[in-house]
Amino acid sequence: MEKKKIVAIGVIQYLNQSCFSKLHSLVSTNGLVCLWNFYGDVAVLNPFTREHIFLPNCQQPLIGCCSLGFDPTTKKYKVIKAHWILGGRNSCEVRYWIYTIGVDKIWREIPDCANIFPIYNFVYIGGVIYCVNRLSKPYNIAAFSVEEEKLIRMILLPDGILAKNSKIVEMKGQVALLDLKNIRGDGYVSLHVLNGTGKTKTWVKHIIALPL
């Protein structure tokens, strides 16, 4: 226990370095950490080996969200980021870029994702990156293959769940939705877990007790 505590303190101290001070958002996959901010700065680091790299800034403002995925075929990690591109008269579009760690020198734009923008976050599970999509109805969950670098399917939300109230999470290797609107005052929260594959996907509702 003492050894784990020392390791945890070391990780926190490493993440608190001044070079990361402008990066305010974080996602982790297989122990690697991706940090970013809304202005195009992205870093990927291993807090245990104390190694990190800063990815090129592609000069596209307003990063909405980043995700770090693992390609099971090439064994390479890839960073995917979504940008708001502001237009005239309060209009905007969404564009996606991808960067393969150890391979790419510049970001590569991903086509055919213009109508997908995550609410809150992405989540990586088994070679696929998922997000709750604020721009599409009724198929509000988008699934993106890290290996194929493309959108592979859209998934319906559970009945009665609104996209704006849902935070996507991973639960024992399954996609799950935390219902932020129904965090109950008695210390319980509603969680919907996606079971099945292909066209047989179903949602199972769980009531989870929050730790006191």
Side-chain angles (χ1 to χ4, degrees), residues 52-67:
H52 67 268
I53 59 170
F54 280 85
L55 306 188
N57 191 315
C58 66
Q59 304 302 316
Q60 295 290 345
L62 297 178
I63 293 181
C65 201
C66 277
S67 183

Side-chain angles (χ1 to χ4, degrees), residues 90-110:
N90 298 320
S91 66
C92 66
E93 63 175 317
V94 182
R95 296 169 67 181
Y96 277 76
W97 277 266
I98 190 167
Y99 189 99
T100 303
I101 306 298
V103 176
D104 288 333
K105 302 300 182 183
I106 60 173
W107 291 89
R108 296 176 285 114
E109 188 168 2
I110 306 171

Side-chain angles (χ1 to χ4, degrees), residues 20-49:
F20 304 134
S21 62
K22 295 182 179 180
L23 307 177
H24 50 62
S25 297
L26 177 152
V27 67
S28 178
T29 297
N30 298 340
L32 293 186
V33 173
C34 178
L35 299 171
W36 76 92
N37 60 28
F38 295 145
Y39 307 107
D41 300 313
V42 182
V44 176
L45 53 126
N46 186 326
F48 301 100
T49 63

Side-chain angles (χ1 to χ4, degrees), residues 29-173:
T29 297
N30 298 340
L32 293 186
V33 173
C34 178
L35 299 171
W36 76 92
N37 60 28
F38 295 145
Y39 307 107
D41 300 313
V42 182
V44 176
L45 53 126
N46 186 326
F48 301 100
T49 63
R50 308 292 179 94
E51 297 174 293
H52 67 268
I53 59 170
F54 280 85
L55 306 188
N57 191 315
C58 66
Q59 304 302 316
Q60 295 290 345
L62 297 178
I63 293 181
C65 201
C66 277
S67 183
L68 179 63
F70 180 71
D71 186 331
T73 300
T74 64
K75 310 301 181 185
K76 297 291 186 180
Y77 285 89
K78 299 179 181 181
V79 178
I80 297 170
K81 60 179 179 177
H83 283 265
W84 283 114
I85 307 297
L86 300 179
R89 295 184 178 181
N90 298 320
S91 66
C92 66
E93 63 175 317
V94 182
R95 296 169 67 181
Y96 277 76
W97 277 266
I98 190 167
Y99 189 99
T100 303
I101 306 298
V103 176
D104 288 333
K105 302 300 182 183
I106 60 173
W107 291 89
R108 296 176 285 114
E109 188 168 2
I110 306 171
D112 304 324
C113 290
N115 293 321
I116 299 170
F117 196 79
I119 295 178
Y120 302 116
N121 65 306
F122 293 103
V123 65
Y124 169 81
I125 303 172
V128 179
I129 291 172
Y130 299 88
C131 72
V132 178
N133 180 23
R134 71 174 71 187
L135 300 180
S136 176
K137 294 180 180 180
Y139 293 93
N140 289 108
I141 295 180
F144 180 89
S145 169
V146 177
E147 177 185 358
E148 300 176 56
E149 299 185 357
K150 68 178 184 180
L151 182 70
I152 55 173
R153 62 182 176 272
M154 302 292 286
I155 303 167
L156 285 167
L157 288 177
D159 292 339
I161 301 298
L162 299 178
K164 66 179 181 179
N165 298 327
S166 303
K167 182 176 177 63
I168 196 165
V169 296
E170 182 268 338
M171 178 62 65
K172 295 183 179 180

